[in-house]
Amino acid sequence: MMKLLFAEDDRDLSAAVRTLLERSGYLVDAVYDGADAVDYALAETYDGMILDWMMPEKDGIRALQEMR
């Protein structure tokens, strides 16, 4: 089973997408800001990440730069 990190600050949208991904067989860790996305990415191993472009704390681009 593939494990995904999903970072989206809109909690309703995040819940909907997470449900769809889980129903499709993915394990999903959902976070709501860029700082948490970086923390999770550095602490866990993910097969893929979906990052919102505009989030609180750090945008998706800055979060990705820090992860790299």
Side-chain angles (χ1 to χ4, degrees):
M1 191 173 298
M2 291 185 67
K3 186 172 183 180
L4 302 176
L5 176 61
F6 181 59
E8 167 60 57
D9 62 321
D10 182 316
R11 290 180 186 260
D12 291 334
L13 178 59
S14 179
V17 171
R18 182 179 186 171
T19 298
L20 290 172
L21 290 169
E22 289 174 342
R23 287 183 184 172
S24 295
Y26 295 97
L27 293 173
V28 180
D29 284 339
V31 296
Y32 308 107
D33 64 58
D36 284 345
V38 172
D39 290 343
Y40 273 65
L42 297 178
E44 295 285 332
T45 300
Y46 293 97
D47 297 299
M49 296 182 203
I50 303 168
L51 304 173
D52 184 9
W53 186 271
M54 295 172 48
M55 292 183 287
E57 305 296 325
K58 297 175 186 175
D59 62 39
I61 299 299
R62 183 168 172 209
L64 181 60
Q65 288 171 337
E66 288 186 27
M67 290 174 202
R68 289 184 174 177

